[in-house]
Amino acid sequence: MPTKKRELLVVGNWKMNPPTIGNARKLFHDIQDRLGTRPTAVRVVVAPPFPYIAPLAALSPSGRVTLGAQDVFYESGGAFTGEVSVSMLKSVGTRFIILGHSERRALGESDAEIYKDVLQVVGNKMSAIVCVGESSRDKQGGYFNTVEAQLTAALKGLDPAAFSYVTIAYEPVWAVGSGKTPAPADVYEMKLFIQKVLTDLFGRTPAAKVRVLYGGSVTKYNATELLAEGQVDGFLVGGASLRATEFAGIIACAREHTRK
């Protein structure tokens, strides 16, 4: 019997865009229109700014496009001005939460905070998309140590049963928004390395449950190669997800890949 292929995941991280809810609704509608209604083996997630999540969730009652969030705070409630909890996000239709994005780390988010975020998200049976990636590449391969340290800090002591709620997004910081991407062979090498780290820490069965996405200047022109040669399980898409035609093109590449 042939092995069932893993569902691919394509996530659009809108960051602090677009400027109004009207613009957000239009972009969301444009993306939906380009996806069609036929079910596929690709899960599409959009992570808009917090104020837009509930209004956009109302536009996708069937869940054809799943809603995600760009961050969360690790406390369940209390006197934490400006923060948003897992239960709040869950209550407005969010199912995926991006954690440890390089832009959050650059603002001072620590490994300890990311770890507490992960525990909150998976503890509430939500899906955590944990971002890892190096700032630069050195010829000695020290960037592998960076990724291993980030993985270990974010997932230490995690119950192996929770790994069905964990996705890793490999985002080399030097590629984000730069128009540059690593060679697909290098992406595949990093995927294998991530799987090895997870296997060493938690065993083969939990590690096998974890998708590994690629993020960093993904376009409809390099997506097919990254899927075929990089063998990633989908993408975390930034700027291209703000252009419906471009985002739909990336999703189309993923759909075509699942049919091969």
Side-chain angles (χ1 to χ4, degrees), residues 12-34:
N13 176 15
W14 287 4
K15 307 187 181 184
M16 202 169 72
N17 301 289
T20 70
I21 184 59
N23 295 138
R25 285 195 179 102
K26 182 180 186 307
L27 176 57
F28 194 79
H29 275 307
D30 287 347
I31 291 170
Q32 284 187 311
D33 289 346
R34 285 164 174 79

Side-chain angles (χ1 to χ4, degrees), residues 147-164:
V147 171
E148 181 174 9
Q150 290 171 340
L151 287 168
T152 303
L155 304 174
K156 60 184 178 184
L158 195 65
D159 185 342
F163 271 73
S164 57

Side-chain angles (χ1 to χ4, degrees), residues 2-75:
T3 302
K4 184 179 178 181
K5 285 190 175 182
R6 185 198 299 270
E7 179 188 58
L8 296 183
L9 182 64
V10 178
V11 183
N13 176 15
W14 287 4
K15 307 187 181 184
M16 202 169 72
N17 301 289
T20 70
I21 184 59
N23 295 138
R25 285 195 179 102
K26 182 180 186 307
L27 176 57
F28 194 79
H29 275 307
D30 287 347
I31 291 170
Q32 284 187 311
D33 289 346
R34 285 164 174 79
L35 293 184
T37 57
R38 296 177 63 183
T40 71
V42 178
R43 170 74 68 94
V44 178
V45 178
V46 166
F50 289 141
Y52 301 161
I53 293 174
L56 296 185
L59 301 181
S60 186
S62 66
R64 184 156 47 108
V65 177
T66 305
L67 270 295
Q70 299 174 19
D71 194 28
V72 74
F73 190 59
Y74 49 79
E75 295 287 356

Side-chain angles (χ1 to χ4, degrees), residues 90-113:
K90 193 172 186 178
S91 73
V92 294
T94 305
R95 292 295 173 263
F96 290 81
I97 303 178
I98 300 168
L99 303 176
H101 192 279
S102 60
E103 292 163 358
R104 299 296 306 169
R105 293 179 189 266
L107 291 173
E109 190 169 58
S110 68
D111 285 336
E113 290 170 320

